[in-house]
Amino acid sequence: MSETYIYAPNGKGAKFNQETNEVILYKGTKKGGRYNKKHAEVLLKAVEIEENSPYKDYKPKYLDPNFYTGQKSTLLEFKDWQSIYLKDPIKGAIAPWTKAEKAYYKSLKTKRERYKYLIIRSGLRSTVIDIPYDAYCNVDEKGNLINKDYKELYKEVEANRGMANMHKGWLFMAEWELAAGILGDIKGFVGALQLSMTGFKARTQAINFLLIQLGHEQGFKSLYDSYAYRDLTDGIHKNPLKAQMLKDFSKNPPYDEFGMLPFLDELIGVDWVIDPNDYYFVYDGAKGRVNDALKDDVEKGTLKDPRDVDSTPESREEFIDNFERYGNGMRERYTLEISNDTPETSANIWLETMLLEAKIKALTPPQGYPSAPYYYSPERLEWIYKNHNLDRLLDPRIPAIHRYNFPKELRAKILKFGEDRGIRD
């Protein structure tokens, strides 16, 4: 038998017979088998989704911690990177706007063009339905379709948003609303904030930040709540001072002529996000339990948020150890047989959820969302570095337009725009 393993989005593995295409699911305490055929098909589909990620050709560039005679050491590069996690990110330092990019953005003459650009820059992609860049914000100011070729796409999104997928849970509802936002209805991004009820914390913050950039006041309220009291539930560091700053800022934001705040990161900065999910693993997808457990421990005083100014190497390591323990322990057992007494509707939703998590994973930018950088403890980053596994392309200070997920054609257009005008970065 030619056996190997295939893996669910959360890293749970199952044996796979390459000769017969048979998936060998693990047996639980209850009798299973009723759903095994469909379960295996869905698991293989999840693997296929990940293997066909638009970022599948991304290649990490690992820092070599070894010193070689006659060669430049990577230690200074690493230390410079490591130091940024000891404080809040500097305004405008994370995924910064280059001069050429900023000039190009300002050259866009309509609100629609700018709306579309900010969505592309955010790194957010639709997961529930494929939306080509050409269909982004394909409506005029009155909400009328511009390119009628996308009429059916708009109809399908409209039919599935709102309460249409309430029976499937927050994840499905939020992702359909996100699709609506991408197509041009800003209220879709408001609805997409339901994603905060799941484990996708960085994705939620990217949506919230984009909402403020696009000029919607709801984004201010949601971000204020994150700073003031939701904190770790949203992956954000509790910060009453920043909450007050945001409240004051929101009273008179310096909107541009289109009522937008495109360079928001230079005005209020972004924040380190603690998220159990990224491009490589989805440890806590639809249920969002890991961060709630961490928040509970912090409030009890048994753990300390590693982003606290008075955190120590020991307290940070203890937090990260618990973060990983919760992540491993709370993963859905996607390679375990579904018990025969599970109602068919429940079984189908569970399998569909696995597929949606695979799609989100496949469409998560390998270098993260520009406005929602992942937090690394300095100690864990050093451990990764010393084990030859630190990808220098994950440095969050790499400009957004130079990240792998940014459309190549658009990047070339921006660079040419800057070159033609003598703009140097």
Side-chain angles (χ1 to χ4, degrees), residues 349-378:
I349 290 174
W350 190 72
L351 292 173
E352 285 182 51
T353 299
M354 174 169 56
L355 278 183
L356 184 52
E357 289 178 2
K359 196 65 181 291
I360 294 175
K361 176 184 171 185
L363 290 175
T364 296
Q367 293 159 281
Y369 299 101
S371 60
Y374 296 115
Y375 172 77
Y376 287 91
S377 76

Side-chain angles (χ1 to χ4, degrees), residues 317-372:
E317 274 298 284
E318 185 178 9
F319 182 95
I320 298 301
D321 285 345
N322 279 271
F323 173 70
E324 293 180 345
R325 179 168 59 83
Y326 284 138
N328 283 313
M330 294 180 176
R331 286 186 291 174
E332 284 292 321
R333 302 187 71 182
Y334 282 135
T335 53
L336 184 72
E337 283 186 337
I338 301 171
S339 63
N340 290 342
D341 59 2
T342 301
E344 187 172 357
T345 299
S346 298
N348 287 337
I349 290 174
W350 190 72
L351 292 173
E352 285 182 51
T353 299
M354 174 169 56
L355 278 183
L356 184 52
E357 289 178 2
K359 196 65 181 291
I360 294 175
K361 176 184 171 185
L363 290 175
T364 296
Q367 293 159 281
Y369 299 101
S371 60

